[in-house]
Amino acid sequence: LTGDAAAGEKVFNRCKACHAVGEGAKNKVGPELNDIFGRVPGEIEGFKYSDAMTEYGKEHVWDVETLTAYLAAPRKVVKGTKMAFAGLKKEEQIDDVLAYLATFDPD
Ligand code: HEM
């Protein structure tokens, strides 16, 4: 991971309305994002995902590559996703937010 976690914390302000991360993080409009690297898309118990995300999870795992693609263009990468977010325009913002999320990933 090449991003800057401190810069990514600021980018994450745009995610916070819907996602929590860190100790005790709960699902909100979107699922909690702890330990995201290596998670199967759509696997958080008690969160109601779109069918599109459940299907996507049958053939993908969240890693740097899949997360980068999804965050750049959520509705193109997971057609039918219910994440109402247009995507991050700059690759640097994605690298930074992934570096931030990695600080909540023990692996
Ligand atoms: C799903 C990240 C912004 C709502 C997800 C997932 C990730 C993610 C990684 C998949 C989680 C999983 O498979 O368990 C982010 C990041 C954001 C962001 C990093 C900011 C850059 C938002 C915003 C909203 C939102 C602003 C609400 C308006 C959702 C919802 C899902 C989701 C509802 C489930 C999608 C589905 O079932 O199709 N997000 N998200 N997210 N996110 Fe976001």
Side-chain angles (χ1 to χ4, degrees):
L1 283 163
T2 55
D4 173 346
E9 184 173 6
K10 297 205 177 96
V11 177
F12 194 74
N13 285 332
R14 297 171 59 185
C15 321
K16 265 186 177 166
C18 302
H19 292 287
V21 73
E23 209 182 318
K26 296 204 164 54
N27 298 329
K28 298 167 68 173
V29 174
E32 57 87 359
L33 296 178
N34 286 330
D35 207 4
I36 189 69
F37 297 90
R39 259 167 57 175
V40 173
E43 78 171 3
I44 294 298
E45 290 286 327
F47 184 82
K48 185 141 178 44
Y49 291 94
S50 63
D51 292 344
M53 187 61 76
T54 303
E55 285 301 310
Y56 182 77
K58 290 179 181 167
E59 289 177 0
H60 299 86
V61 167
W62 289 130
D63 57 21
V64 173
E65 199 181 334
T66 54
L67 286 166
T68 298
Y70 182 61
L71 293 179
R75 298 187 194 96
K76 277 189 192 146
V77 171
V78 182
K79 286 191 183 68
T81 183
K82 65 178 192 179
M83 174 154 118
F85 184 69
L88 293 170
K89 293 262 157 6
K90 296 185 183 151
E91 184 131 349
E92 191 182 8
Q93 295 174 313
I94 297 176
D95 293 347
D96 291 347
V97 85
L98 292 184
Y100 176 66
L101 289 175
T103 67
F104 301 99
D105 195 310
D107 321 314

